[in-house]
């Protein structure tokens, strides 16, 4: 006899979500459904009819955790639509800023999961280490991006300002100096994660990974024709096998139908299936990291902080403080679809845009990292006891604020009346 266990809202994540679990007599999850209940933000709709320079400023407000990621995805999409060739130094500065942001964001996640792994006697020291790591990473975001929270110097065509020779030296000194603390921190976190007593194969799933590069992102490594976004009422209602349909019958279907009406995000599929994106996906595809499951997620994220620091140290030597960082361009569009792909802390962030010949945005869409992971996170809870399900979700560091759209429901009969998610 199965029963439904609902955890709402799930905790220690950005935004609000619900976890609905069908469990058997032993408490083993047979069907996991994770879905966003965060209210709609409306940013994609706001930029329609605006000049292109407005989009990066507005879309960086999609999320207070990933402003650098959204700004970069937006300017990359507009650069592509207008066929702008960004100067080499501008590209390098963008990549350095993203890698600093990855260190900063992963460190924030260690705040969130520290109670799960870190012994009480070590807790204060770990938090102190995380604070210092964030301080140094935030410095790089500040001096290159202009502002750490909403970077004003990441512009269409490149970067608004180059850095001085003195700033270049400061960044190299600070990040080189940070490496020792980062290595100690990652080693400690790896030990805590390994020592955690989780069931074998917790969080292991059969879904493929999606990643476009080791550190920055590449529109050449993703096929837009392979992407399909489906309505949540379709995904949560129809994903059962015939055997599951026969076994759970009406009660499961009622729950799924209710979830389909409540969920606030579309379900993106790549080559007709949900995918996993994020640190483990990048490590799997580009760094020969083949472990799977909850512990592997945490390990890949921790190790990626070192990878990002190494990238900054490598890139900063290539910055020419006297070089041009901005391309010359006009805002005359052709309605050509521009694509921006950034590998953010939580995974692949895809923005697309069209700009009219008069120079106004006519179409804007974003598929953000957590949106990709939402269906996969539900599947990853299946096969182990439900008490571990929140640990599975936290391993993905979900950020629901980015992932929200809205459905239109008839007030009287509560039926979905529009077969598209409204990106208001």
């Amino acid at each position: 006899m199965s029963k439904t266990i609902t955890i709402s809202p799930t905790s220690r994540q950005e935004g609000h979500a619900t976890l609905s679990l069908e469990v058997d007599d032993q408490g083993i999850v047979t069907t996991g459904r994770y879905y966003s209940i965060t209210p709609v933000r409306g940013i994609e709709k706001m930029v329609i009819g605006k000049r292109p320079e407005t989009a990066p400023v507005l879309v960086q407000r999609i999320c207070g955790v990933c402003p650098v990621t959204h700004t970069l995805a937006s300017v990359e999409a507009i650069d592509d639509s207008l066929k702008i060739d960004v100067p080499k130094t501008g590209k390098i500065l963008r990549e350095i800023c993203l890698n600093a942001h990855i260190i900063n964001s992963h460190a924030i996640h260690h705040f969130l999961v520290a109670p799960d792994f870190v012994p009480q006697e070590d807790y204060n020291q770990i938090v102190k280490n995380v604070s210092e790591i964030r301080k140094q990473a935030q410095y790089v975001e500040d001096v290159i991006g202009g502002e750490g929270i909403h970077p004003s110097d990441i512009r269409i065509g490149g970067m608004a300002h180059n850095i001085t020779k003195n700033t270049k030296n400061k960044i190299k000194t600070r990040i080189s100096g940070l490496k020792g603390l980062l290595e100690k921190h990652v080693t400690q976190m790896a030990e805590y994660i390994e020592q955690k007593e989780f069931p074998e194969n917790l969080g292991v799933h059969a879904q493929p990974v999606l990643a476009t590069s080791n550190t920055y992102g590449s529109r050449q490594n993703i096929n837009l024709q392979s992407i399909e976004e489906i309505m949540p009422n379709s995904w949560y209602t129809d994903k059962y096998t015939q055997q599951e349909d026969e076994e759970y019958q009406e009660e499961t279907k009622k729950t799924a139908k209710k979830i389909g009406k409540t969920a606030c995000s579309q379900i993106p599929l790549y080559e007709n299936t949900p995918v996993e994106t994020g640190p483990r996906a990048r490590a799997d595809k580009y760094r020969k990291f083949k472990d799977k499951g909850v512990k592997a997620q945490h390990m890949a994220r921790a190790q990626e902080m070192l990878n990002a620091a190494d990238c900054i140290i490598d890139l900063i030597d290539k910055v020419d403080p006297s070089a041009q960082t901005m391309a010359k361009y006009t805002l005359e569009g052709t309605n050509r679809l521009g694509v921006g792909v950034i590998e953010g802390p939580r995974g692949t962030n895809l923005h697309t845009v069209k700009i009219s010949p008069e120079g106004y945005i006519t179409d804007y869409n974003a598929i953000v990292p957590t949106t990709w992971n939402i269906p996969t996170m539900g599947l990853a809870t299946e096969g182990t006891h439900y008490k571990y399900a929140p640990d599975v979700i936290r391993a993905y560091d979900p950020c629901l604020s980015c992932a929200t759209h809205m459905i239109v429901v008839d007030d009287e009969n509560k039926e979905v009346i529009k077969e598209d998610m409204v990106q208001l």
Side-chain angles (χ1 to χ4, degrees):
M1 183 67 182
S2 69
K3 63 178 180 180
T4 301
I5 293 176
T6 301
I7 302 172
S8 183
T10 48
S11 61
R12 284 189 272 149
Q13 64 186 31
E14 304 298 334
H16 304 284
T18 293
L19 187 56
S20 176
L21 307 166
E22 301 289 335
V23 303
D24 64 16
D25 292 339
Q26 284 71 50
I28 304 300
V29 179
T30 55
T31 301
R33 309 183 193 92
Y34 180 73
Y35 57 100
S36 170
I37 55 172
T38 300
V40 67
R41 300 293 296 268
I43 302 293
E44 290 151 296
K45 190 70 173 177
M46 288 181 191
V47 302
I48 301 298
K50 302 288 194 305
R51 301 288 278 182
E53 303 98 318
T54 310
V57 178
L58 285 180
V59 302
Q60 64 186 221
R61 269 76 181 176
I62 286 177
C63 178
V65 180
C66 277
V68 170
T69 308
H70 286 297
T71 309
L72 287 171
S74 184
V75 295
E76 287 279 342
I78 296 169
D79 290 342
D80 186 39
S81 182
L82 296 176
K83 296 185 177 181
I84 297 171
D85 187 12
V86 176
K88 179 181 177 182
T89 300
K91 292 179 181 176
I92 293 172
L93 292 176
R94 285 181 179 181
E95 190 166 351
I96 291 173
C97 196
L98 178 64
N99 276 285
H101 176 64
I102 285 175
I103 295 172
N104 190 2
S105 184
H106 287 351
I108 293 173
H109 186 248
H110 285 169
F111 272 130
L112 296 177
V113 300
D116 294 337
F117 296 102
V118 180
Q120 189 62 42
E121 61 270 23
D122 296 342
Y123 190 85
N124 289 344
Q125 185 59 52
I126 289 295
V127 170
K128 186 178 178 182
N129 292 347
V130 166
S131 296
E132 179 62 21
I133 291 167
R134 291 196 60 217
K135 176 183 175 182
Q136 301 302 334
Q138 187 78 53
Y139 168 80
V140 179
E141 292 182 74
D142 285 341
V143 298
I144 292 183
E147 297 173 65
I149 303 301
H150 293 119
S152 54
D153 285 353
I154 301 174
R155 303 281 181 89
I156 299 167
M159 299 291 287
H161 305 286
N162 203 335
I163 56 175
T164 65
K165 184 178 180 181
N166 187 40
T167 301
K168 174 181 171 176
N169 292 335
K170 282 183 178 179
I171 291 174
K172 185 169 184 177
T173 299
R174 285 193 179 222
I175 298 302
S176 297
L178 182 64
K179 276 293 295 292
L181 176 59
L182 264 179
E183 289 168 353
K184 177 184 175 183
H185 174 73
V186 170
T187 299
Q188 280 184 290
M189 290 302 295
E191 289 174 355
Y192 300 141
I193 292 163
E194 284 294 347
Q195 291 166 5
K196 182 74 176 182
E197 293 184 0
F198 278 146
E200 188 176 358
N201 295 328
L202 178 67
V204 173
H205 58 75
Q207 303 311 123
V209 298
L210 174 68
T212 64
S213 81
N214 183 24
T215 60
Y216 188 71
S218 170
R219 65 178 67 92
Q220 281 73 41
N221 293 333
I222 193 167
N223 182 4
L224 295 188
Q225 304 304 316
S226 297
I227 299 171
E228 178 188 13
E229 290 186 276
I230 64 174
M231 293 284 285
N233 58 324
S234 175
W235 169 254
Y236 292 104
T237 304
D238 298 339
K239 78 182 186 70
Y240 305 103
T241 64
Q242 184 176 356
Q243 181 181 352
E244 288 172 330
D245 256 359
E246 293 172 353
E247 185 175 354
Y248 301 125
Q249 290 296 332
E250 290 306 316
E251 199 57 38
T252 293
K253 291 179 179 177
K254 287 180 183 176
T255 301
K257 192 172 182 180
K258 182 179 178 182
I259 291 172
K261 290 182 177 179
T262 306
C264 294
S265 63
Q266 295 180 111
I267 302 296
L269 306 177
Y270 196 78
E271 296 178 344
N272 300 314
T273 189
V275 296
E276 176 190 323
T277 189
R280 196 193 72 83
R282 286 189 288 267
D284 177 288
K285 196 165 181 178
Y286 295 102
R287 299 196 289 272
K288 300 180 180 179
F289 181 93
K290 297 302 177 185
D291 292 343
K292 297 181 177 180
V294 167
K295 286 188 175 181
Q297 290 278 357
H298 289 294
M299 295 289 280
R301 181 175 294 104
Q303 291 169 5
E304 191 168 65
M305 298 168 79
L306 289 172
N307 185 69
D310 288 338
C311 285
I312 293 173
I313 293 170
D314 179 55
L315 288 166
I316 199 68
D317 283 335
K318 300 175 182 175
V319 173
D320 177 0
S322 64
Q324 182 181 354
T325 58
M326 285 286 290
K328 294 181 180 178
Y329 62 91
T330 65
L331 291 177
E332 295 174 0
T334 60
N335 278 324
R336 177 177 183 269
L337 184 69
V339 181
V341 181
I342 292 297
E343 288 296 329
R346 293 161 189 79
T348 306
N349 190 10
L350 171 67
H351 287 218
T352 59
V353 65
K354 290 182 180 178
I355 300 165
S356 72
E358 294 77 22
Y360 293 94
I361 293 172
T362 58
D363 183 78
Y364 202 98
N365 188 47
I367 305 178
V368 304
T370 293
T371 315
W372 291 108
N373 281 333
I374 280 176
T376 304
M377 283 187 273
L379 295 170
T381 65
E382 297 175 358
T384 50
H385 198 277
Y386 70 84
K387 69 179 181 180
Y388 295 106
D391 294 295
V392 175
I393 301 303
R394 278 199 289 277
Y396 285 82
D397 191 14
C399 185
L400 284 304
S401 301
C402 296
T404 300
H405 294 127
M406 188 172 69
I407 58 175
V408 178
V409 177
D410 187 292
D411 279 344
E412 293 184 359
N413 61 25
K414 306 304 179 186
E415 293 294 324
V416 176
I417 59 175
K418 184 176 174 59
E419 288 304 317
D420 294 309
M421 296 298 287
V422 180
Q423 298 170 338
L424 289 174

